[in-house]
Amino acid sequence: MTTALRTLSILGAIALLGWGLLISDEISDARWLLLLGGAWILLVFGTRITLPAGLPTFNRTLIRSGMLIATVFIVISAQLVRIQVVEQDAIYYRTGVDAEGEVISNPRLVSQQLDFERGRILDRNGTVLADTVEQDGIYYRSWPVASAWPVTGYYSPMMYGSTGLEATYDGELSGDGRNSFENTFRQLLGMTPQGNNLVLSLDADLQTQAMTMLGDSRGSVVVLDVETGATVVLASNPTFDPNQLFTTGNDPEAAAYWNSLLEDPSTPLVIRANQGVYTPGSTFKTVTAAIAIEEGYAQPDSVYEDSGQLNIDGRILPEFNRPDESRDQWTLSEGIAWSLNVVFAQIGMQIGGETYWQYGPELGFGVTIPYDLPVAESQMANNRDALSDTNMVADTGFGQGQLLMSPLHLAMIASTWANDGRMMEPWLVESITDPDGQTIWTASPDTWRQPVSAETANDVQEMMVNAVENGSISGARVEGYVVGGKTGTAEIGNERSHSLFIGFIGDPEPRYAVAVVLEEGSGGLTSAVAIGRDILVATIGRYPEQLTSGPLETAYVRSQFRGDWVGKEPEIW
Amino acid sequence: MRFRPTFRATEFNLLLIPGALAVVGSLTIFLVGTGTVDWTWGDIWISLAAAAAVLLVSITFGLRGFRGDQVMFPITATLAIIGMLMIQRLHPDLVEIDEGYSTLAQRHLLYLGAGLVGMWLIVMLSGPLKVANWLRKYKYTWLLVTLALQAATFFIGTEVGGARLWINLGPIQIQPSEISKITLVIFLASYLDEKRDLIGSSWQVGRFKLPPIPYLVPMGIMWAASLMLLVILNDLGPALLFFGIFLVMLYLATGRLVYVGVGMGTFAVACWLAWTYFSRIEVRVNNWLDPFWDPYGFGYQPIQSDFALSAGGIFGTGFGQGHPTFISQVQTDYIFSAIGEELGLLGTLALIALYFLWVVRSYIIAIRADDGFVQLCVAGLATSLGIQTIIIIGGVTRLIPLTGITLPFISYGGSSLVTNFGVLALILYFSSLPRRV
């Protein structure tokens, strides 16, 4: 009878423990302890075995004591099973908040970020833009090239996360990407995992030149290879120092720096080149011209009336840009060359809001531009209805209205006219190499959009060259090269304006396109044109041939790594 | 005196396991640190020395003709070598946190060596000096020593982390409760063995059967002293340990559960009072049930301990590959969590099994002993170590409120290591006395 009871109570204890472990994520620690206490009492009773009658007192009590200690050890084991196995994740990831609102979480989660050799970021010539150096088991990240900070972003796992390429390519840089199998193996061997390296299409020297040209001015300079979409320069000012944001713990200096960045009215954390949007101003006249030609409304030699002003539904639009005020007849090409607003207001109205809106996505407006960094969305207008207003369409025609464009997008537009109407997908990361330096992925250029025909694009291209050679943008002229361009002034009210320039350079076939944006009070159009011209000359001087020529093999390798490309023919370009 | 040299084959063979463990363990730690597979014997000389030392102890025991138990020492050596490896592994990380730890590993080795030498001397000399006899004879001296040590802690003790557990003796700090737990066991064993029948009997007062109150007076003093400990030292750990020893030995000698019941009842009341009136005890209880009540203050250590244990999982991160030093003071109270993180559930369960084996083997020695005093003494010493293990592991795993006490043979700390080797030495010596079977 007692044997049966004992067996029953041991079974009860096992059942209680099993049940407790099963539902342990639903019950508090205190309740679990109560349950454990109950199981222990059952165990104590269950192990109270019948001892021979003649046993000496000491032997009997010693056996009982030993049994008691055994039951306690069983209870401890159950507690360990709960902490280390059943509730492992819940405990490992548990967070709490103290009275001051300070959050506490498992420090292992962040220290994992400093525990491995994060991949490096290199420019196209191997200059190190982001480096990782091990010291006493901690991997310190540094960014030695100041001009590249807008591109690399910061990496601050202990405090502020990451931005820039550090954020978009975190998986590759931390080794979670392609060679994760290899890293698991390395961890088994007790070695630290390694991340892959990024090799950029960026040129650090040209980038530094561009940043130097910007100087203290707020603004950006973007240079793209027109045929491949490769980013050669992505300069943006103001920026921030990622070295001051990398910490190995809670660092008050980094916090002070971070707060100063947040409070800075010039918003240095916003990288203008890709995350800023501006009214394109007259640079948009190239778009208006392209749509008009593509839709058959006009030819470069189509003549428009411009007598100094235009009455649009009762609003008088003045014209300040005519080089000869006695002339009333101007061709479309001359309209580009001298940036005649009255001419483009008429063409805008000719095109009409509906057509503009339909061209929007084709030209990259209102859609997300695929890029290695986040890109602010450009807009043709706030909404479709806004373009039904005649004045709004007229203003859009010469680049005002509700237009907003990022500097990167402006450079893409310039490239499109220089590349037979093909808008290439822009990119920054040229290849990814594994820790041994073997290339495991190579970028391959891809046409993203073809908004207009090659003929139309060539017309616009010629008009832009004409604007430099015979028009108002003579400052962009370069001996020995073919340069095309268009300036723009973005009026932001109260007589204040940003200065813009888009252009391209060729020998004679166009090679590189540029977009320069100088925010108000930064030297105006003359400076913008000069910066654009100088960076184009520097770029083509350094790389006279096309930047990238991807061999067939690497293009094929890519299809093996990127699941979504598998099965497609590798492109030959 | 004539020795009959022998070869303690069982002990020697069993000792090969901790010996191999020492070599492999320190090799692991060394190689994880360098990230390579290149090493020389010079890199692991410490563990080679440790392995050689334990084997040498066994051989010299045999050469001197010692015929005591052959299992206790290998179990102890395994525990001590796990502790040594863990301290070696924690040492560089701790130095990074605080320069004051720069000699931690060396000091631990020194204590370990002192413990081994002390054990060897006690085992070798106890036989010829007939230690058992005078241990039994001077029982009230041991009682006085026990009480004096407690009083000394009270009057000249230093507070570490709010608990008065330490006495500063120039360059070294000793924890008197580690020593007094031995003297307490010896006193109780001697006293209870002598008065066993009297205490076990009943005292007839009129119609009532009462316990033999006069003979329980010294017991009462001890009981009161244990409770005083709780108040004076402001810590539950030693009080719980002393009270546990007291109750278990009373039960072992008399076989009367009523004493245990009464004792536990009064202790529970005392605990409740302590919880109500002492903020420190209240803090410990809060930490026990939910350390997140004060995550950056009192709850910090238990939270970090939970994180460490959960990081270990079943197999652990591997020696040298976890982050146990996120737990402050990990080398003493929380070393079990460090083992849990790096060796996983398998490691912690194995450790618990080793402690259980240690206690059970001692109990077997106690049952085989021919003498009532020796029986009680061995059982008491074994139980004290078992209770100590339960208190600290239970505290670290938040099964009970945490109390500051060391994990025997593993935690860093001189007085703990040396006295626990003293406990082992006594048990080994007692096991060599004439047996019943």
Side-chain angles (χ1 to χ4, degrees):
Chain A
M1 187 59 203
T2 46
T3 315
L5 265 178
R6 276 201 302 271
T7 315
L8 216 62
S9 75
I10 287 185
L11 287 176
I14 293 170
L16 208 55
L17 285 179
W19 181 65
L21 288 175
L22 260 181
I23 62 157
S24 74
D25 52 336
E26 299 162 23
I27 54 177
S28 66
D29 286 0
R31 247 162 215 254
W32 158 255
L33 286 178
L34 264 176
L35 220 134
L36 208 53
W40 179 60
I41 289 168
L42 285 176
L43 273 179
V44 170
F45 181 74
T47 53
R48 204 180 154 75
I49 50 172
T50 317
L51 294 170
L55 214 57
T57 307
F58 179 75
N59 294 22
R60 185 169 55 82
T61 53
L62 200 61
I63 290 169
R64 295 254 184 269
S65 302
M67 286 292 193
L68 190 72
I69 289 178
T71 58
V72 175
F73 277 13
I74 288 171
V75 167
I76 290 177
S77 305
Q79 174 78 344
L80 282 169
V81 168
R82 180 173 192 255
I83 295 178
Q84 299 201 269
V85 182
V86 180
E87 285 292 275
Q88 184 192 6
D89 281 354
I91 295 171
Y92 191 78
Y93 293 104
R94 191 170 169 192
T95 54
V97 183
D98 78 350
E100 276 98 55
E102 198 81 14
V103 176
I104 189 166
S105 63
N106 196 333
R108 282 159 194 79
L109 296 173
V110 269
S111 101
Q112 281 166 359
Q113 306 283 328
L114 300 174
D115 245 10
F116 69 96
E117 195 172 344
R118 193 173 170 83
R120 301 198 289 181
I121 302 178
L122 311 158
D123 91 332
R124 59 179 306 106
N125 301 313
T127 307
V128 177
L129 308 179
D131 203 1
T132 300
V133 180
E134 192 249 315
Q135 197 184 331
D136 297 331
I138 293 179
Y139 289 88
Y140 294 87
R141 190 89 168 148
S142 63
W143 296 266
V145 180
S147 65
W149 292 344
V151 177
T152 59
Y154 66 77
Y155 176 68
S156 176
M158 307 299 276
M159 296 181 82
Y160 304 113
S162 55
T163 58
L165 288 175
E166 296 282 5
T168 41
Y169 280 85
D170 185 58
E172 292 295 341
L173 291 168
S174 61
D176 288 342
R178 316 221 148 78
N179 57 353
S180 61
F181 172 76
E182 196 180 321
N183 274 330
T184 309
F185 191 67
R186 285 175 65 86
Q187 275 172 317
L188 278 179
L189 290 177
M191 295 148 84
T192 52
Q194 288 177 309
N196 294 324
N197 305 310
L198 304 182
V199 180
L200 307 187
S201 55
L202 205 76
D203 181 286
D205 289 338
L206 294 172
Q207 174 84 2
T208 306
Q209 283 183 38
M211 286 298 274
T212 312
M213 289 176 199
L214 281 175
D216 294 335
S217 309
R218 290 181 211 162
S220 31
V221 180
V222 181
V223 177
L224 299 176
D225 181 312
V226 298
E227 284 178 53
T228 63
T231 313
V232 189
V233 170
L234 191 87
S236 189
N237 198 47
T239 180
F240 53 85
D241 181 359
N243 295 296
Q244 293 191 47
L245 292 173
F246 178 80
T247 63
T248 55
N250 221 326
D251 184 352
E253 274 179 47
Y257 182 62
W258 174 257
N259 285 328
S260 75
L261 291 176
L262 288 183
E263 285 158 14
D264 192 330
S266 69
T267 60
L269 285 168
V270 178
I271 301 305
R272 286 157 163 71
N274 49 308
Q275 289 172 299
V277 282
Y278 300 89
T279 304
S282 301
T283 59
F284 189 76
K285 284 172 181 160
T286 60
V287 178
T288 297
I291 297 174
I293 294 170
E294 183 75 6
E295 293 292 311
Y297 294 125
Q299 290 298 316
D301 53 5
S302 300
V303 177
Y304 291 85
E305 170 96 14
D306 181 355
S307 52
Q309 62 177 50
L310 181 68
N311 186 328
I312 310 166
D313 286 356
R315 169 181 156 230
I316 303 298
L317 175 74
E319 174 67 79
F320 304 110
N321 294 345
R322 283 184 301 168
D324 177 0
E325 307 225 334
S326 61
R327 255 180 77 188
D328 293 345
Q329 305 283 318
W330 300 89
T331 63
L332 169 58
S333 183
E334 283 168 330
I336 292 268
W338 301 104
S339 203
L340 303 175
N341 284 355
V342 164
V343 170
F344 277 89
Q346 294 172 63
I347 304 175
M349 289 186 286
Q350 243 182 317
I351 292 169
E354 197 55 30
T355 309
Y356 267 121
W357 189 261
Q358 279 165 8
Y359 264 90
E362 274 304 298
L363 288 157
F365 291 88
V367 292
T368 304
I369 294 173
Y371 194 51
D372 294 321
L373 295 172
V375 182
E377 209 167 90
S378 302
Q379 67 171 41
M380 194 69 89
N382 291 349
N383 52 58
R384 194 183 193 127
D385 288 343
L387 282 175
S388 59
D389 179 67
T390 313
N391 264 300
M392 183 62 76
V393 178
D395 287 352
T396 304
F398 56 89
Q400 296 293 330
Q402 294 174 341
L403 282 161
L404 286 175
M405 291 175 78
S406 63
L408 176 77
H409 191 196
L410 280 166
M412 290 165 66
I413 291 286
S415 310
T416 307
W417 314 144
N419 189 37
D420 296 333
R422 284 198 302 272
M423 187 182 269
M424 304 305 290
E425 185 175 321
W427 46 273
L428 249 175
V429 178
E430 188 159 293
S431 61
I432 295 172
T433 62
D434 69 10
D436 302 324
Q438 297 293 311
T439 302
I440 54 176
W441 180 83
T442 307
S444 73
D446 204 357
T447 304
W448 185 50
R449 294 281 197 269
Q450 170 109 32
V452 294
S453 67
E455 292 75 28
T456 303
N458 287 336
D459 284 345
V460 178
Q461 182 188 321
E462 275 166 31
M463 288 193 286
M464 286 172 76
V465 172
N466 179 53
V468 171
E469 290 181 351
N470 306 311
S472 61
I473 321 174
S474 55
R477 258 180 241 162
V478 181
E479 201 59 42
Y481 294 106
V482 175
V483 177
K486 184 73 200 81
T487 51
T489 303
E491 284 155 22
I492 52 170
N494 298 336
E495 310 275 305
R496 289 156 46 211
S497 60
H498 301 322
S499 305
L500 297 89
F501 173 72
I502 62 171
F504 51 84
I505 195 165
D507 186 22
E509 189 64 22
R511 287 259 178 271
Y512 303 101
V514 73
V516 179
V517 176
L518 287 181
E519 291 187 13
E520 48 153 339
S522 304
L525 275 180
T526 323
S527 300
V529 172
I531 290 174
R533 176 200 61 205
D534 290 350
I535 198 70
L536 283 175
V537 172
T539 307
I540 202 165
R542 180 172 275 243
Y543 303 109
E545 296 304 312
Q546 188 186 327
L547 263 180
T548 320
S549 60
L552 180 59
E553 301 87 68
T554 49
Y556 193 68
V557 167
R558 175 200 63 185
S559 69
Q560 294 175 336
F561 281 117
R562 281 250 169 109
D564 49 345
W565 288 347
V566 170
K568 290 186 189 172
E569 279 297 309
E571 287 178 34
I572 306 163
W573 39 274
Chain B
M1 201 183 301
R2 289 274 302 149
F3 299 125
R4 284 188 298 113
T6 171
F7 177 63
R8 297 163 62 80
T10 310
E11 186 174 73
F12 189 89
N13 289 336
L14 284 176
L15 279 172
L16 292 178
I17 296 168
L21 179 70
V23 174
V24 173
S26 73
L27 202 55
T28 311
I29 295 166
F30 175 76
L31 292 181
V32 164
T34 61
T36 63
V37 286
D38 305 316
W39 59 280
T40 59
W41 290 103
D43 300 323
I44 55 166
W45 70 269
I46 289 173
S47 35
L48 290 176
V54 294
L55 290 173
L56 196 68
V57 165
S58 173
I59 290 169
T60 49
F61 275 174
L63 288 177
R64 302 272 303 176
F66 177 68
R67 284 182 160 69
D69 187 81
Q70 299 197 41
V71 179
M72 290 302 288
F73 182 58
I75 300 174
T76 313
T78 310
L79 290 170
I81 277 170
I82 290 172
M84 180 195 84
L85 290 172
M86 208 61 223
I87 297 288
Q88 296 274 344
R89 176 256 171 279
L90 292 175
H91 179 232
D93 288 6
L94 286 172
V95 171
E96 231 168 75
I97 295 168
D98 184 352
E99 281 296 320
Y101 289 125
S102 57
T103 57
L104 183 96
Q106 287 90 322
R107 273 184 288 164
H108 189 80
L109 284 175
L110 196 72
Y111 299 144
L112 203 58
L116 273 180
V117 170
M119 177 197 78
W120 193 87
L121 287 175
I122 292 173
V123 170
M124 289 297 98
L125 299 177
S126 292
L129 295 177
K130 302 210 185 311
V131 164
N133 291 344
W134 57 265
L135 281 181
R136 181 207 316 261
K137 199 168 158 191
Y138 299 112
K139 56 176 169 291
Y140 293 107
T141 310
W142 307 126
L143 174 62
L144 282 176
V145 168
T146 310
L147 294 174
L149 279 170
Q150 297 316 336
T153 324
F154 176 56
F155 289 113
I156 59 169
T158 22
E159 268 191 33
V160 178
R164 196 184 284 265
L165 295 173
W166 302 83
I167 290 180
N168 250 327
L169 290 179
I172 56 165
Q173 280 189 327
I174 61 165
Q175 205 170 349
S177 60
E178 295 282 355
I179 299 168
S180 52
K181 86 179 176 208
I182 303 180
T183 52
L184 175 69
V185 167
I186 296 170
F187 160 73
L188 284 173
S190 175
Y191 183 83
L192 289 169
D193 182 45
E194 196 180 293
K195 308 281 193 310
R196 187 195 300 259
D197 298 335
L198 292 169
I199 294 170
S201 69
S202 298
W203 201 33
Q204 200 81 27
V205 181
R207 292 172 52 208
F208 299 100
K209 273 190 175 176
L210 290 177
I213 285 166
Y215 303 108
L216 286 174
V217 167
M219 301 277 103
I221 292 173
M222 289 313 301
W223 168 80
S226 299
L227 292 187
M228 287 293 281
L229 260 182
L230 184 69
V231 179
I232 291 167
L233 303 183
N234 204 1
D235 202 4
L236 207 66
L240 202 56
L241 175 61
F242 281 39
F243 209 71
I245 292 171
F246 177 72
L247 288 183
V248 168
M249 292 195 69
L250 202 55
Y251 171 67
L252 286 176
T254 65
R256 300 185 84 174
L257 272 172
V258 60
Y259 293 142
V260 180
V262 170
M264 277 172 60
T266 50
F267 194 74
V269 170
C271 283
W272 181 74
L273 285 174
W275 180 37
T276 321
Y277 290 106
F278 299 112
S279 60
R280 185 180 162 76
I281 306 289
E282 194 186 339
V283 162
R284 295 239 148 146
V285 171
N286 285 345
N287 269 355
W288 166 45
L289 293 175
D290 184 20
F292 279 85
W293 70 287
D294 185 15
Y296 277 106
F298 292 113
Y300 188 78
Q301 245 186 331
I303 289 174
Q304 297 302 328
S305 162
D306 273 11
F307 285 153
L309 283 170
S310 67
I314 295 178
F315 300 103
T317 60
F319 237 154
Q321 298 191 56
H323 298 274
T325 40
F326 284 134
I327 318 168
S328 37
Q329 298 299 316
V330 66
Q331 74 277 15
T332 53
D333 290 0
Y334 277 101
I335 197 157
F336 187 77
S337 302
I339 293 170
E341 173 167 9
E342 304 213 320
L343 302 183
L345 180 72
L346 295 180
T348 52
L349 290 186
L351 210 60
I352 289 173
L354 278 175
Y355 280 114
F356 187 64
L357 270 181
W358 201 97
V359 173
V360 167
R361 184 70 191 179
S362 307
Y363 278 7
I364 291 170
I365 291 170
I367 281 188
R368 283 184 185 163
D370 194 22
D371 178 294
F373 164 70
V374 170
Q375 282 192 325
L376 277 175
C377 210
V378 172
L381 289 172
T383 309
S384 77
L385 196 123
I387 292 175
Q388 190 173 343
T389 308
I390 288 168
I391 289 174
I392 185 61
I393 296 183
V396 166
T397 56
R398 293 205 289 115
L399 205 59
I400 54 172
L402 180 85
T403 54
I405 212 164
T406 56
L407 186 61
F409 301 114
I410 292 186
S411 285
Y412 171 78
S415 43
S416 163
L417 260 183
V418 173
T419 48
N420 283 323
F421 269 104
V423 169
L424 172 70
L426 284 178
I427 292 176
L428 283 178
Y429 156 64
F430 287 135
S431 73
S432 69
L433 296 176
R435 294 178 194 174
R436 179 171 293 173
V437 189

